[in-house]
Amino acid sequence: MEHTRESADRTARPRQTAAWPRTGRPLRTFDAGTGERWRFGFAGQARAEVHARGARLHSLLVPDRWGDPADVVLAARDPADSEGSARYFGATVGRYANRIARGRIVVDGVTHRLATQDNGHTLHGGPDGFDQREWRCEPFHSAHRTGVRLFLHSPDGDQGFPGALDVSVAYTLDREDNLTLSYQAVADAPTVVNLTNHAYWNLEGEGRGSVLSHHLQVRASRYTPVDAELIPTGAHRPVDDTPFDLRRCRRLADVLAQTDAQAAPAGGGFDHNWVLDGAPRSRPRKAAVLYAPASGRRMEVRTTEPGIQVYTAQGLTGDVIGKAGGAYRAYAGVALETQHFPDSPNRPDYPSVLLRPGEVYRSTTIHSFTTVPA
């Protein structure tokens, strides 16, 4: 990883030694507003909270370079916001993550009309996507790994998609501060599947300002440009000499200050898919690195997916109040959504998202947390 060293206002601070509370095996709690939720992790290391509604990553506490933990995942303080402005925060989205143009797919010659949002396209599975469902949960725990596995049944015709689909996603923390998200799905008829997690990350801590000082690297030589409605135009465009060239770690403030016509459809920031270098593999490969200079937190993302959608959250307006009580404004976080490409069902030149009976959809993404010395 390449990055520019920046002075931080805490470089003279001594390392903190206060122990984190022990969590042991995953702990189930219930709240009238958020429903079933699970907390898990290891003492002195990363700890997570996952909610059954939306199979949602609600929080992730990670130590900084001094050993002090902070929650690096954005989430609304008011549970009602998870059905409105914050509906995708940390959620598992599907049955098809990202956009499908005009809510139309063709499977084996049969046209299916999908439920659409107000702009006439299907986004993240439709108005009643997986982010709004109650998932069934099962905890697991060993000496080195702990977490929760969530299950959902999506019936034939759900939001217009063909075939019944049985889905699972497992959130796993290990003793090396790796958060692994493992997805599986099977269908009883041909259908399309594309699952991802929609966490917004701020490695300085949620509610602690914008991510414009963060440095981002994406291992991709091409991206998919979009039209005015954020639908891919089809071509893969080289990132050379554009703000989309993140092959070396670059500060987001510097990148987003560059002028490019592709910034207009996304409201002045990124809401685009990068085509990751190299062919997808069964084992996760390095896709991106996010680094926060002040805290020293570094997150490496590895995935089996062919693409990654980067959304710099320029659309946040302050109407969502976060867990710490601060309003989430533009650039309060950045989403790194590992995925197949947007509108792939309508793009035969894109990697296939078709799932047939007897096949198993599998996808794995790993977020690895370390710190960089001052």
Side-chain angles (χ1 to χ4, degrees), residues 282-363:
S282 59
R283 295 178 62 85
R285 70 195 192 283
K286 184 175 176 180
V289 173
L290 187 66
Y291 166 64
S295 66
R297 293 186 185 91
R298 178 184 184 272
M299 180 178 76
E300 179 177 297
V301 181
R302 289 172 284 156
T303 188
T304 57
E305 291 296 298
I308 186 168
Q309 183 89 2
V310 178
Y311 176 47
T312 46
Q314 57 274 10
L316 297 181
T317 61
D319 61 326
V320 175
I321 305 301
K323 290 170 285 189
Y328 290 150
R329 305 190 186 280
Y331 309 107
V334 56
L336 303 173
E337 305 158 57
T338 54
Q339 58 168 19
H340 273 61
F341 307 157
D343 203 32
S344 288
N346 297 311
R347 306 284 184 178
D349 54 322
Y350 285 6
S352 175
V353 292
L354 185 65
L355 179 67
R356 294 189 178 278
E359 299 176 341
V360 180
Y361 168 94
R362 290 186 175 90
S363 176

Side-chain angles (χ1 to χ4, degrees), residues 32-362:
T34 59
E36 184 180 2
R37 56 192 184 185
W38 289 85
R39 295 173 180 168
F40 54 93
F42 292 102
Q45 297 180 275
R47 294 178 299 167
E49 180 176 315
V50 170
H51 291 185
R53 184 170 179 81
R56 189 179 306 270
L57 180 64
H58 180 75
S59 68
L60 186 69
L61 275 71
V62 180
D64 64 9
R65 60 165 61 98
W66 297 275
D68 294 334
D71 190 347
V72 298
V73 172
L74 274 60
R77 181 175 63 181
D78 184 351
D81 286 339
S82 294
E83 300 178 5
S85 301
R87 65 171 293 179
Y88 299 124
F89 282 34
T92 299
V93 293
R95 169 179 313 194
Y96 195 91
N98 217 305
R99 295 168 176 86
I100 295 178
R102 297 172 294 282
R104 173 187 175 275
I105 61 173
V106 178
V107 178
D108 290 346
V110 178
T111 299
H112 299 270
R113 298 291 179 178
L114 311 178
T116 60
Q117 276 83 337
D118 291 342
N119 61 3
H121 306 298
T122 300
L123 175 65
H124 295 326
D128 184 24
F130 291 177
D131 62 287
Q132 296 297 299
R133 311 293 174 84
E134 293 289 338
W135 295 57
R136 179 173 61 87
C137 304
E138 291 182 1
F140 55 88
H141 182 80
S142 70
H144 301 286
R145 294 158 57 86
T146 187
V148 63
R149 185 173 289 106
L150 302 98
F151 303 87
L152 182 70
H153 176 73
S154 174
D156 179 28
D158 189 0
Q159 298 294 283
F161 288 95
L165 190 75
D166 287 294
V167 185
S168 71
V169 56
Y171 290 89
T172 305
L173 277 174
D174 63 27
R175 290 191 176 276
E176 285 71 48
D177 284 345
N178 297 309
L179 174 67
T180 300
L181 280 66
S182 304
Y183 306 86
Q184 289 192 19
V186 294
D188 67 358
T191 191
V192 297
V193 182
N194 185 30
L195 303 174
T196 194
N197 181 273
H198 205 295
Y200 290 86
W201 303 97
N202 186 325
L203 297 187
E204 304 295 5
E206 67 87 19
R208 299 185 184 179
S210 79
V211 294
L212 292 176
S213 65
H214 283 45
H215 296 228
L216 178 63
Q217 178 187 30
V218 178
R219 287 198 164 184
S221 303
R222 298 171 296 160
Y223 76 103
T224 50
V226 296
D227 62 19
E229 296 183 326
L230 295 173
I231 302 297
T233 59
H236 295 170
R237 184 177 298 174
V239 300
D240 304 79
D241 302 318
T242 74
F244 299 89
D245 189 355
L246 299 174
R247 289 172 291 185
R248 62 179 179 84
C249 221
R250 302 175 66 191
R251 194 169 70 119
L252 282 174
D254 298 334
V255 173
L256 296 177
Q258 293 182 246
T259 302
D260 191 281
Q262 275 290 303
F270 292 142
D271 193 1
H272 297 75
N273 169 69
W274 272 253
V275 180
L276 295 173
D277 290 342
R281 305 171 190 165
S282 59
R283 295 178 62 85
R285 70 195 192 283
K286 184 175 176 180
V289 173
L290 187 66
Y291 166 64
S295 66
R297 293 186 185 91
R298 178 184 184 272
M299 180 178 76
E300 179 177 297
V301 181
R302 289 172 284 156
T303 188
T304 57
E305 291 296 298
I308 186 168
Q309 183 89 2
V310 178
Y311 176 47
T312 46
Q314 57 274 10
L316 297 181
T317 61
D319 61 326
V320 175
I321 305 301
K323 290 170 285 189
Y328 290 150
R329 305 190 186 280
Y331 309 107
V334 56
L336 303 173
E337 305 158 57
T338 54
Q339 58 168 19
H340 273 61
F341 307 157
D343 203 32
S344 288
N346 297 311
R347 306 284 184 178
D349 54 322
Y350 285 6
S352 175
V353 292
L354 185 65
L355 179 67
R356 294 189 178 278
E359 299 176 341
V360 180
Y361 168 94
R362 290 186 175 90

